[in-house]
Amino acid sequence: MTVTATGTAEIDTPYNDAQAHSHGPLGKLMLGAIGIVYGDIGTSPIYAFRETFAGHHELAPDALHIYGILSLIFWSMMIIVTLKYVTINMRADNKGERASLALLALINRSTTDKKRWTAGIVMLGVFATALFYGDSMITPAISVLSAVEGLTTVNPGFQRWVIPLAIGILIGLFAIQKRGTGSVGLMFGPIMMVYFLALAVLGAVHVVDHPQVILAMFNPLHAANFFMVEPTRAFIAMGSVVLAVTGAEALYADMGHFGRRPIKYAWLLFAMPALLLNYMGQGAMLMALPPDLALETVKNPFFFLAPEMFRLPLVILATMATIIASQAVISGAFSVTQQAIQLGFIPRLRILHTNETAAGQIYIPLINWALLTMVILLVLMFQSSSNLAAAYGIAVTGAMAIDTVLIGVVFFSLWKWPVWKAIPLLAIFAFIDIAYFGANLLKVPDGGWFPLLVGAIAFTFLTTWARGRRLMLDRMKEASLPIEVFIKSASASASRVPGTAVFMTSSAKGVPHALLHNLKHNKVLHERIFLLTVKIEDVPYVPGESRIETKDYSSGFYRIVIRYGFMEEINVPRELASIKTCGESCKMMDTSFFLSRQTLLASSKPGIAIWREKLFAWMLRNAESAMEFFKLPTNRVVELGSQVEI
């Protein structure tokens, strides 16, 4: 992938020498994983069980339904979370990083028959990324709303304060993003530890009163019986049961921060047992109540697990947990956006690093405020977490289905698994993914349209940018001139001036447009000229010794290629200062950077539709300055414009 001064990118030859993350002590990393990775799935008990019984398609809280739902929750966790993500998917990492785009880069880098896979797989991966943005809007809204709604179990009079309090909490959460999550993150682990312990204790207390729920949860026959007795209602219920496993994608999306083992052990030894105990406790509590009281309690069973005197502290603890869950999703949106920018699917955006030592802690203002706007709009539109639950699930189940396709490519193309080993697993995953996605499609009229709309809009932007910049690069290459011919001609006719000129170029071949324009209008050349290309490789990190490649063309002309991983911060002046093979060290006060700025003209040339050309042109105009993106000194940059038809 080549990133240029115009914000365009190209897929380059794979680069294989990336460094994996270095990790700390296992216990500390497990604590961090509990604090960050499990926020989303950890807050699911607040609303998942409730929505299955008291949502838009109500179920009676009797033995048939409670035992059937508990069994569905347990086996969904075992197959989707434990088997699919923790055991299998987490093995498919791109040098420590794991997300839809990181996996796409891995497939692109490792697959030999690229024509067979690339086009369709890339589109699926990009659509999964688009769906993630819808998920990142809904998660903070439903999580915080569901926790604040717990106040109504303390005093029904708090109902009128739920929406104002939720909006206030959300505004505060997004407002502190620019300060970074480093200091706040230190508190995440302990708070979530207390929260998960509370889940386990509250559940265990009620399981003692009705221990039959233990065998019921583990017995798949109860789920099968539910489907045999009421197949339609059971299928509809799956649209709410899936809420219990939302956040499963975080188990591997955050693997780059903590590593595989801490996330795996934290899930198996701590998070999963606590969640299962809580779900069993909610079921046991309802089974122990008279039918009329159970119908009232099922409207908010999570908070009724606690005695009245502990209910307010539980609301406060749950609110803190939902804030942490929302924080993890927001940080994930920043990380995914950074990957998409580096891999050429999104134009340059302003990225601020909030920690000098932790490269992964970033803040993207545009994404932050866009998410806040949409989250508040969701709260005001849907008014309650129950209504929002109708919108939740489609994005997650869609992304899970796409992950199954991607992991299928990994099975056959990367791991070379035999058919007898891969097909049964893929069949199980596909059957469950399709069932859950189909059940969630029933919620489209009630709110499921929202993540699909967001996904469609995001997909249009992502694909328009990727296609547009490819066409623009192709048009620019058509007019390229061999560098050897240019040097021979220019050196004989142009005057040389002191200093170093750096010309940013998308291709490691040919003459940059900015150099041609500079010679045409100014009729001078600097004593030393760097033709600089920045390449983003298909790995998250590139080791320092392999970062820079230089070539001497003589006559003061040098070709420089700087390589970065798609998770790294780009800093061109820092890399130029470290070069020792192109004459004396590069001093910024003696260096001028020449950038080419393209103005796009809509044309009838075959490529993309006119409306997409105009959309691409608008995105290009509003992209972050290349000067900021490449960390160039503000007083040493010269921009030269040109017009390009695509």
Side-chain angles (χ1 to χ4, degrees):
M1 187 78 66
T2 303
V3 176
T4 75
T6 62
T8 57
E10 288 184 307
I11 298 293
D12 296 307
T13 303
Y15 193 79
N16 296 317
D17 286 332
Q19 291 175 321
H21 290 279
S22 59
H23 301 298
L26 180 62
K28 183 178 179 180
L29 289 170
M30 285 177 63
L31 181 64
I34 290 170
I36 299 296
V37 177
Y38 298 106
D40 193 356
I41 197 170
T43 55
S44 295
I46 300 175
Y47 49 82
F49 204 77
R50 177 197 73 197
E51 288 306 311
T52 307
F53 287 90
H56 291 269
H57 304 281
E58 297 181 0
L59 293 177
D62 53 26
L64 170 68
H65 299 118
I66 291 176
Y67 290 167
I69 294 301
L70 287 176
S71 181
L72 280 173
I73 289 175
F74 172 75
W75 288 104
S76 294
M77 277 194 182
M78 292 303 296
I79 296 174
I80 295 176
V81 184
T82 306
L83 177 60
K84 179 179 177 180
Y85 283 102
V86 174
T87 304
I88 296 178
N89 278 29
M90 283 178 59
R91 293 176 56 197
D93 66 288
N94 191 348
K95 303 295 183 180
E97 292 299 327
R98 183 65 173 84
S100 294
L101 288 178
L103 186 56
L104 268 182
L106 173 66
I107 292 172
N108 182 73
R109 176 164 56 89
S110 306
T111 304
T112 54
D113 187 7
K114 293 184 180 180
K115 290 184 179 179
R116 180 182 176 187
W117 299 109
T118 300
I121 294 301
V122 166
M123 288 300 100
L124 281 176
V126 171
F127 189 63
T129 302
L131 288 175
F132 173 81
Y133 285 109
D135 184 31
S136 63
M137 295 171 189
I138 299 174
T139 296
I142 190 173
S143 298
V144 173
L145 255 182
S146 62
V148 177
E149 284 170 349
L151 289 171
T152 61
T153 65
V154 178
N155 187 330
F158 283 126
Q159 179 63 50
R160 63 192 180 96
W161 295 102
V162 168
I163 292 179
L165 277 173
I167 291 177
I169 291 171
L170 289 166
I171 291 175
L173 173 63
F174 281 90
I176 65 171
Q177 293 303 311
K178 61 183 178 182
R179 299 181 180 273
T181 60
S183 57
V184 181
L186 295 176
M187 300 185 294
F188 284 4
I191 291 174
M192 291 305 293
M193 283 280 289
V194 173
Y195 172 74
F196 275 111
L197 286 173
L199 291 185
V201 171
L202 289 172
V205 168
H206 290 276
V207 169
V208 171
D209 296 332
H210 195 87
Q212 294 92 326
V213 295
I214 300 176
L215 291 178
M217 174 173 267
F218 296 155
N219 189 350
L221 294 179
H222 285 289
N225 185 49
F226 183 18
F227 274 91
M228 285 189 293
V229 175
E230 297 182 351
T232 302
R233 293 171 71 86
F235 179 71
I236 293 173
M238 291 182 69
S240 297
V241 170
V242 75
L243 298 176
V245 295
T246 55
E249 63 278 7
L251 301 181
Y252 71 102
D254 287 312
M255 191 168 66
H257 299 288
F258 302 102
R260 183 184 302 125
R261 290 175 63 239
I263 292 177
K264 179 179 180 180
Y265 293 155
W267 170 251
L268 294 175
L269 302 178
F270 194 80
M272 184 176 71
L275 289 170
L276 293 178
L277 273 172
N278 194 265
Y279 285 118
M280 284 191 289
Q282 293 186 49
M285 177 184 64
L286 294 173
M287 288 294 297
L289 293 174
D292 55 339
L293 189 56
L295 282 172
E296 186 64 27
T297 304
V298 80
K299 294 178 181 178
N300 222 328
F302 175 80
F303 292 102
F304 282 115
L305 286 174
E308 190 171 347
M309 63 182 297
F310 293 115
R311 209 161 287 161
L312 183 59
L314 178 60
V315 172
I316 295 173
L317 180 61
T319 302
M320 295 173 69
T322 57
I323 291 173
I324 292 171
S326 302
Q327 172 65 59
V329 172
I330 296 167
S331 300
F334 294 157
S335 179
V336 167
T337 301
Q338 182 189 35
Q339 290 186 37
I341 292 171
Q342 300 289 59
L343 292 171
F345 292 105
I346 292 179
R348 296 183 308 266
L349 298 177
R350 188 183 182 198
I351 299 178
L352 303 178
H353 290 260
T354 59
N355 190 310
E356 294 181 358
T357 59
Q361 293 187 18
I362 60 174
Y363 168 67
I364 305 179
L366 178 63
I367 299 298
N368 186 69
W369 300 120
L371 284 178
L372 173 60
T373 301
M374 296 305 298
V375 167
I376 292 177
L377 187 62
L378 281 170
V379 171
L380 294 176
M381 284 174 55
F382 288 89
Q383 295 288 307
S384 72
S385 61
S386 183
N387 291 334
L388 266 171
Y392 208 23
I394 286 186
V396 174
T397 53
M400 286 180 177
I402 292 173
D403 282 336
T404 296
V405 176
L406 295 180
I407 203 66
V409 177
V410 172
F411 281 173
F412 292 110
S413 297
L414 276 66
W415 295 349
K416 308 298 183 183
W417 277 17
V419 172
W420 65 265
K421 184 178 181 181
I423 291 298
L425 278 174
L426 291 175
I428 293 172
F429 296 156
F431 176 78
I432 294 175
D433 290 337
I434 292 172
Y436 273 123
F437 185 69
N440 276 276
L441 284 177
L442 298 175
K443 300 192 292 185
V444 168
D446 296 321
W449 55 267
F450 179 82
L452 293 178
L453 177 62
V454 171
I457 293 173
F459 183 78
T460 300
F461 275 85
L462 291 169
T463 54
T464 297
W465 179 258
R467 177 61 176 163
R469 52 90 175 167
R470 169 61 64 189
L471 289 172
M472 187 171 69
L473 282 175
D474 291 342
R475 299 292 184 263
M476 293 171 65
K477 286 179 180 178
E478 290 174 1
S480 63
L481 180 70
I483 185 63
E484 292 83 3
V485 175
F486 174 84
I487 292 174
K488 185 176 181 180
S489 173
S491 298
S493 59
S495 301
R496 307 298 285 252
V497 295
T500 300
V502 179
F503 291 89
M504 307 291 289
T505 174
S506 62
S507 174
K509 299 178 181 178
V511 181
H513 281 241
L515 177 53
L516 293 172
H517 283 286
N518 181 59
L519 181 61
K520 177 181 178 181
H521 295 288
N522 297 323
K523 297 180 175 55
V524 295
L525 293 174
H526 287 70
E527 287 180 338
R528 183 170 58 171
I529 296 174
F530 291 164
L531 310 180
L532 176 62
T533 299
V534 175
K535 292 187 176 181
I536 306 300
E537 303 294 346
D538 290 334
V539 292
Y541 298 92
V542 171
E545 66 272 13
S546 303
R547 187 176 303 282
I548 299 173
E549 176 186 336
T550 63
K551 180 179 180 180
D552 186 354
Y553 287 112
S554 74
S555 301
F557 284 81
Y558 299 89
R559 175 79 67 184
I560 299 176
V561 177
I562 303 177
R563 291 184 171 90
Y564 289 96
F566 59 77
M567 290 297 294
E568 293 186 280
E569 176 189 8
I570 295 175
N571 190 321
V572 167
R574 180 184 62 203
E575 311 303 343
L576 290 179
S578 68
I579 296 175
K580 308 297 182 184
T581 57
C582 299
E584 62 182 22
S585 297
C586 190
K587 299 177 182 178
M588 287 301 104
M589 292 307 296
D590 297 326
T591 302
S592 297
F593 293 86
F594 291 84
L595 308 180
S596 178
R597 176 176 289 274
Q598 275 70 39
T599 299
L600 298 184
L601 301 177
S603 71
S604 58
K605 290 183 178 181
I608 56 177
I610 292 295
W611 68 268
R612 294 187 74 187
E613 288 187 20
K614 293 180 178 179
L615 176 60
F616 176 69
W618 175 82
M619 295 171 74
L620 186 61
R621 287 196 304 270
N622 289 277
E624 178 70 5
S625 166
M627 180 177 63
E628 296 284 343
F629 187 76
F630 292 109
K631 303 293 188 297
L632 306 180
T634 56
N635 60 342
R636 307 301 304 172
V637 175
V638 178
E639 287 193 352
L640 298 171
S642 61
Q643 294 182 334
V644 179
E645 289 186 349
I646 62 171

